[in-house]
């Protein structure tokens, strides 16, 4: 069933630069912002991914597919967590990713954090494929907050939530742990990440609401920009995605306000590199 959503668009000329001394400095400028309310805010409150033609959103229990203008929900799966994982206490889907017709969804039992998984869904139907991979607690001790597919390297990435001392690198073929890559600077509260131009960009719910760039091969971390001053009070940073859009943006960062009364999608354009 299709639904129309309340959506506002606000243009902004805010520019954000990488911290002094950062290698390969880059500047990002906010181009626009969408605001989702009520049910749409709730159901677009955790993660975001794209296949280039539509958006995919996640929230604690479900998945949805939405037109790129954000106005129409094309498909909805409000109870996406498989029964066998729910029986183990699974109650939270984090920041998702899309690859080769599948949605990769990190799922955790968001109280005990004893059963982190990455589950695969058919992107066309949002139905569970029957395949889920258990992640090792030794490197995912506090759940599975996000997942990012790196098809060029043949890897899938995730990490511990907080602190985040390393990238956990899994095989794209069967999700076995290949290695961990220590980060040059330990970060934390990472809620989402995606590969863009060969690097991993990660959004943090730290006090500064930082966007980091991470070299997946070396673990070198660059604080690209901090967004706290531009966000409404009470915002919680969630997932992010990359897609060139009509307003000139490439990066799209999801933020939810306290109580999930509204969710914002901030759109940023890279102006230098």
């Amino acid at each position: 069933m299709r639904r129309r959503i309340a959506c506002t668009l606000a243009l902004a000329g805010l520019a954000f630069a990488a911290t002094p001394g950062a290698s390969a400095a880059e500047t990002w400028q906010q181009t626009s912002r969408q605001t989702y309310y009520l049910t749409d805010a709730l159901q677009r409150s955790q993660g975001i991914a794209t296949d280039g033609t539509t958006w995919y959103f996640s929230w604690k229990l479900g998945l949805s597919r939405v037109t790129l203008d954000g106005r129409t929900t094309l498909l909805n799966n409000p109870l996406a967590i498989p029964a066998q994982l729910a029986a183990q206490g699974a109650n939270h889907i984090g920041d998702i990713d899309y690859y080769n017709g599948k949605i990769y969804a990190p799922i955790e039992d968001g109280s005990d954090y004893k059963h982190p998984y990455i589950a695969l869904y058919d992107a066309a139907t949002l139905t569970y494929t029957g395949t889920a991979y258990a992640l090792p607690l030794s490197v995912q001790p506090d759940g599975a907050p996000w997942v990012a597919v790196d098809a060029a390297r043949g890897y899938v990435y995730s990490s511990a939530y907080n602190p985040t001392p390393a990238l956990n690198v899994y095989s794209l073929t069967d999700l076995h742990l290949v290695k961990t890559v220590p980060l040059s600077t330990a970060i934390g509260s990472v809620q989402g990440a995606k590969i863009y131009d060969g690097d991993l960009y990660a959004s943090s719910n730290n006090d500064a609401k930082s966007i980091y760039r991470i070299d997946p091969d070396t673990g070198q971390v660059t604080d690209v920009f901090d967004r706290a001053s531009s966000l409404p009070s009470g915002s919680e940073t969630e997932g992010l995605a990359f897609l060139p859009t009509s307003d000139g943006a490439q990066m799209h960062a999801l933020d939810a306000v306290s109580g999930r009364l509204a969710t914002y999608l901030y759109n940023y354009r890279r102006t230098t590199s």
Side-chain angles (χ1 to χ4, degrees):
M1 183 177 71
R2 295 189 176 190
R3 289 183 293 109
R4 304 295 293 183
I5 66 166
C7 177
T8 63
L9 182 66
L11 295 178
L14 300 175
F16 307 87
T19 53
S23 62
E26 58 191 281
T27 300
W28 291 83
Q29 182 178 42
Q30 182 185 325
T31 60
S32 59
R33 185 188 77 183
Q34 284 84 31
T35 306
Y36 309 117
Y37 297 107
L38 302 175
T39 300
D40 298 294
L42 176 66
Q43 295 184 348
R44 304 178 188 188
S45 61
Q46 293 296 323
I48 181 172
T50 182
D51 59 6
T53 62
T54 56
W55 292 120
Y56 298 92
F57 289 95
S58 61
W59 66 100
K60 285 186 66 174
L61 300 177
L63 300 169
S64 65
R65 182 156 54 91
V66 177
T67 55
L68 287 182
D69 63 7
R71 295 184 178 277
T72 304
T73 296
L74 302 172
L75 193 61
N76 204 353
N77 182 354
L79 295 173
I81 296 177
Q84 58 268 44
L85 302 190
Q88 298 180 33
N91 61 2
H92 185 276
I93 302 173
D95 187 31
I96 57 178
D97 206 354
Y98 170 91
Y99 171 68
N100 197 28
K102 299 292 189 297
I103 298 297
Y104 286 66
I107 298 178
E108 61 190 20
D109 48 327
S111 52
D112 294 331
Y113 300 110
K114 298 296 185 184
H115 304 286
Y117 283 89
I118 293 175
L120 272 56
Y121 294 79
D122 183 281
T125 63
L126 300 184
T127 56
Y128 176 52
T129 64
T131 298
Y133 300 96
L135 305 183
L137 285 173
S138 58
V139 296
Q140 305 275 167
D142 50 3
W146 61 273
V147 63
V149 176
D150 186 348
R153 293 180 175 91
Y155 291 144
V156 174
Y157 305 115
S158 192
S159 74
Y161 175 64
N162 190 41
T164 308
L167 287 183
N168 300 329
V169 183
Y170 299 92
S171 166
L172 180 55
T173 303
D174 61 5
L175 271 290
H176 77 270
L177 181 66
V178 175
K179 59 183 177 179
T180 60
V181 178
L183 301 184
S184 62
T185 301
I187 56 178
S189 302
V190 177
Q191 299 267 61
K194 295 291 187 298
I195 287 288
Y196 180 65
D197 278 354
D199 287 325
L200 185 73
Y201 285 76
S203 56
S204 171
N205 192 45
N206 61 8
D207 289 343
K209 310 300 184 187
S210 302
I211 300 289
Y212 296 106
R213 185 179 73 242
I214 302 169
D215 185 321
D217 298 319
T218 67
Q220 180 65 42
V221 175
T222 300
D223 187 346
V224 178
F225 64 96
D226 299 332
R227 304 188 304 130
S229 62
S230 66
L231 302 182
S233 176
S235 293
E236 179 180 355
T237 296
E238 302 292 351
L240 81 167
F242 288 87
L243 180 71
T245 51
S246 58
D247 60 358
Q250 298 104 1
M251 179 192 294
H252 311 274
L254 196 62
D255 296 271
V257 298
S258 179
R260 301 300 192 265
L261 297 179
T263 301
Y264 300 96
L265 184 62
Y266 286 85
N267 310 300
Y268 299 96
R269 175 172 61 94
R270 188 163 66 178
T271 58
T272 59
S273 60

